[in-house]
Amino acid sequence: VLDLSNERGMLAGQMLADLGADVIQIEPPGGSSARDEPPFANDEPGLNNSLFWWAYARNKRGITCNVQTPEGQDLIKQLAASADFLLESSAPGEMSRLGLGYDDLAQINERLVYVSITPWGQDGPRAAWAASDLILMAAAGPLFIAGFPDGAPVRVSVPQAYHHAAGDAASAAMIAHMERRRSGQGQHIEIGR
């Protein structure tokens, strides 16, 4: 499993790793944005202090790769040639712009299951909209039942929208894997909240 996701999708890779998959977390130079997610060990922010990162990068191997460069793009293509899955949570269209979209990598490996996790999907009227956990939970409906009838919605615990999306992504990847075993073909899965 090539995991190019950040805080929006790392749980999917972690779930697959916990199931026994060999997951490679691929970070940009300077580290994943997930390393900036609190809480932090000893309440000290830092590249290696994010407990979020520690939790969702567990059971994974890791490499640094600058996918913005031709060398980094070539490395991803080399890895994708023998990968079973690729997970990504880039902005809609970003991976295709880099020559690393599903259509590009399926030419190298037709068995690849490619999973994209975005707030609103890859295309459509909301694809470019910004999103936060609160916005996504409100749009999906759970905030409707959180709080009191005569008050504003209340945030539900810790951020959950992307965790739900990542769980859906891991489940969909396994379903696509079963289809691949039957047909020999991979597919592109889009998860949008």
Side-chain angles (χ1 to χ4, degrees):
V1 179
L2 304 180
D3 190 348
L4 283 92
S5 68
N6 58 14
E7 61 277 2
R8 292 188 286 203
M10 285 183 66
L11 175 60
Q14 181 253 300
M15 291 172 78
L16 296 176
D18 285 353
L19 289 171
D22 181 12
V23 179
I24 302 171
Q25 185 73 51
I26 302 172
E27 294 185 76
S32 171
S33 57
R35 290 180 179 269
D36 297 327
E37 291 292 312
F40 299 104
N42 301 316
D43 290 325
E44 295 177 19
L47 192 62
N48 293 312
N49 288 349
S50 169
L51 300 181
F52 180 96
W53 172 262
W54 290 357
Y56 299 114
R58 75 175 188 263
N59 287 338
K60 300 179 186 180
R61 296 187 292 154
I63 64 169
T64 299
C65 177
N66 186 350
V67 298
Q68 303 296 326
T69 66
E71 296 81 12
Q73 294 160 11
D74 287 344
L75 176 60
I76 298 300
K77 289 175 183 176
Q78 290 172 29
L79 292 170
S82 61
D84 292 309
F85 303 93
L86 183 142
L87 308 171
E88 63 94 2
S89 58
S90 299
E94 176 69 10
M95 295 297 279
S96 292
R97 184 185 69 74
L98 296 170
L100 300 173
Y102 173 71
D103 292 336
D104 303 302
L105 298 183
Q107 291 179 22
I108 297 168
N109 178 357
E110 66 182 15
R111 297 179 53 80
L112 183 66
V113 173
Y114 189 109
V115 183
S116 298
I117 303 168
T118 62
W120 309 106
Q122 288 292 315
D123 52 31
R126 293 187 254 174
W129 286 11
S132 67
D133 184 72
L134 187 61
I135 290 170
L136 293 170
M137 293 298 280
L143 289 189
F144 181 75
I145 59 171
F148 298 97
D150 59 346
V154 177
R155 181 181 184 85
V156 179
S157 174
V158 297
Q160 297 181 27
Y162 283 118
H163 289 323
H164 285 283
D168 290 349
S171 297
M174 290 292 88
I175 293 167
H177 172 62
M178 293 305 295
E179 170 57 23
R180 177 179 53 206
R181 290 183 61 177
R182 186 189 68 76
S183 69
Q185 292 296 304
Q187 57 185 290
H188 186 197
I189 299 166
E190 292 186 36
I191 304 291
R193 279 288 124 196

